[in-house]
Amino acid sequence: MDLITSPVSDASVTTAPLKVAVIVASNREGRFAPVVTDWFLSRTADHPDVETDLVDVAALDLPTALGHRPGPDTQAQLAEVSLRLAAADAFVVVTPEYNHSYPAPLKNLIDRHRAEWQAKPVAFVSYGGVSGGLRAVEHLRQVFAELHAVSIRDTVSFHNAGALFDDEGRHRDPANVDAAAKTLLDQLVWWGRTLRDAKAVRPYGG
């Protein structure tokens, strides 16, 4: 009797580093996003299970008018970022909170894609005032659920973020946020590998 082997028996499938697109959500002039993003990337730099690709909405300059049939110019603008999102196994969104929600350029990027998000995990690093950007995160969970993505339970959030970092971008009291980042990355890697392996056996039917 012949045995049926599964693609996930190949160690290269289950142990390859997770390709994580780190999405910077703000394009505001004078934004605080680079400080928080650099801090997070410094936590992933030596992580053996993660490879990051920085996707900054401020550098994309995507058109704001949505349409069912984007013209050639729009398709050309989308081509590179769409390929990068499709290649990612997982996502981390670095977002501030604007008026109890998240920035419009992020929604524009999200709404221009669908299959690229499906059956992949999304984690959140947020910052803001008293709320630490958590209201933006709660809105994003609903949006990504609609797109068949899996949002990671634990977040990293910076409350009154401007006062937490020194002039060199170093967190003044990093113990708790370092621990939170480790938890987030551990969960992201688990979900990312689990979903990647599952799709290698059976394509997602969303």
Side-chain angles (χ1 to χ4, degrees):
M1 176 176 162
D2 293 335
L3 294 176
I4 299 175
T5 59
S6 165
V8 296
S9 62
D10 183 351
S12 66
V13 174
T14 56
T15 62
L18 204 67
K19 297 177 182 177
V20 178
V22 178
I23 301 172
V24 185
S26 172
N27 69 346
R28 182 180 63 84
E29 184 177 351
R31 61 188 181 158
F32 196 68
V35 175
V36 177
T37 303
D38 288 347
W39 173 89
F40 179 73
L41 290 176
S42 73
R43 297 312 181 267
T44 66
D46 297 323
H47 198 298
D49 299 321
V50 169
E51 293 179 354
T52 58
D53 175 26
L54 186 64
V55 178
D56 189 343
V57 298
L60 298 178
D61 194 27
L62 296 178
T64 56
L66 295 173
H68 292 294
R69 294 180 180 147
D73 292 343
T74 300
Q75 290 183 39
Q77 285 179 281
L78 282 170
E80 181 186 358
V81 69
S82 297
L83 288 173
R84 293 165 67 188
L85 297 179
D89 299 310
F91 306 98
V92 174
V93 177
V94 180
T95 185
E97 180 179 314
Y98 293 168
N99 299 319
H100 282 224
S101 194
Y102 55 93
L106 175 61
K107 189 64 160 66
N108 187 27
L109 175 66
I110 293 171
D111 288 349
R112 290 185 177 279
H113 299 89
R114 185 168 181 83
E116 290 83 355
W117 309 114
Q118 289 184 343
K120 297 178 183 180
V122 184
F124 304 100
V125 176
S126 67
Y127 60 96
V130 174
S131 73
L134 290 175
R135 290 174 291 207
V137 170
E138 291 309 306
H139 286 188
L140 283 166
R141 291 188 190 279
Q142 299 175 60
V143 173
F144 279 112
E146 177 66 17
L147 293 166
H148 300 244
V150 178
S151 66
I152 299 302
R153 160 60 172 84
D154 289 71
T155 66
V156 179
S157 59
F158 296 98
H159 304 257
N160 298 314
L164 300 178
F165 294 84
D166 65 20
D167 292 341
E168 302 299 321
R170 294 183 297 249
H171 199 283
R172 299 179 190 277
D173 186 16
N176 288 337
V177 288
D178 283 356
K182 182 183 184 305
T183 298
L184 179 149
L185 287 169
D186 287 347
Q187 292 181 8
L188 188 70
V189 169
W190 189 92
W191 276 105
R193 282 182 166 167
T194 299
L195 291 170
R196 183 175 65 185
D197 291 352
K199 287 181 289 185
V201 176
R202 184 177 297 107
Y204 182 69

